[in-house]
């Protein structure tokens, strides 16, 4: 699975950005024994607080992709976010829309490694964790990083999304 093209694309993006984990070492994609399609499952598999999981949620914002990296501890307030972003319609993207814009499937969407950069918002709630975990391109791949690194490598905007 380490040779899966999505995992390679994510690791290449992390390497190209010299991304770091919580201890300052290189951020490296790790494969878990089983797929983790939810923040709760990922947190359990990793032995971390569910809030330290950075969910990668893709939204359709008036037809354009929007990646929201949110803490696994809460949900995105789409109505408030739509107003803040001045979009008329903000809704969860279809599986096809997600695959088209990220090259990845729901449950494994990484913050990086997409065919083209996506407009990205990063939940400010993730800032309270020394290390956070994000998906690595497929449902059983994850990587550790920090809030500051996630902002840096994605070019994301810190946002209160709940």
């Amino acid at each position: 699975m380490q040779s899966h093209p999505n995992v390679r694309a994510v690791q290449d993006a992390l390497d190209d950005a010299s991304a770091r984990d919580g201890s300052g070492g290189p951020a490296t994609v790790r494969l878990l024994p089983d797929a983790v399609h939810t923040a709760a499952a990922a947190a359990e598999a990793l032995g971390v607080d569910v809030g330290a999981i950075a969910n990668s949620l893709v939204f359709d914002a008036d037809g354009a992709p929007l990646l929201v990296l949110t803490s696994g501890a809460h949900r995105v307030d789409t109505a408030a976010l739509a107003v803040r972003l001045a979009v008329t319609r903000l809704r969860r993207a279809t599986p096809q829309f997600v695959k088209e814009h990220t090259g990845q499937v729901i449950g494994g969407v990484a913050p990086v490694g997409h065919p083209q950069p996506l407009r990205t918002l990063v939940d400010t709630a993730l800032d309270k964790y020394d290390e956070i975990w994000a998906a690595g391109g497929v449902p059983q791949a994850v990587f550790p990083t920090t809030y500051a690194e996630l902002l840096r490598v994605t070019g994301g905007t810190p946002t209160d999304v709940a």
Side-chain angles (χ1 to χ4, degrees):
M1 184 59 66
Q2 190 71 20
S3 63
H4 190 285
N6 289 352
V7 174
R8 279 196 317 272
V10 171
Q11 189 62 62
D12 288 347
L14 294 171
D15 291 346
D16 290 348
S18 299
R20 296 295 183 220
D21 63 19
S23 66
T28 303
V29 177
R30 300 176 191 178
L31 296 178
L32 299 173
D34 297 304
V36 288
H37 293 279
T38 66
E44 184 176 333
L46 294 165
V48 300
D49 187 277
V50 71
I53 303 298
N55 278 335
S56 297
L57 305 176
V58 178
F59 291 88
D60 178 335
D62 290 340
L66 173 69
L67 178 61
V68 179
L69 304 175
T70 186
S71 169
H74 60 246
R75 300 179 72 81
V76 174
D77 182 341
T78 54
L81 195 55
V83 169
R84 198 172 314 139
L85 297 173
V87 296
T88 56
R89 193 162 121 162
L90 181 68
R91 61 188 169 110
R92 289 291 293 266
T94 65
Q96 294 118 318
F97 188 91
V98 172
K99 179 90 169 158
E100 175 187 344
H101 292 285
T102 69
Q104 302 162 1
V105 297
I106 293 173
V109 175
V112 296
H114 311 131
Q116 300 294 321
L118 299 178
R119 180 179 184 189
T120 303
L121 305 179
V122 183
D123 189 353
T124 55
L126 291 166
D127 192 25
K128 73 179 189 177
Y129 297 96
D130 293 333
E131 186 166 70
I132 54 180
W133 291 83
V138 295
Q140 61 270 39
V142 295
F143 69 91
T145 190
T146 65
Y147 181 71
E149 283 292 273
L150 202 53
L151 286 169
R152 185 180 70 78
V153 302
T154 64
T157 303
T159 307
D160 177 7
V161 300

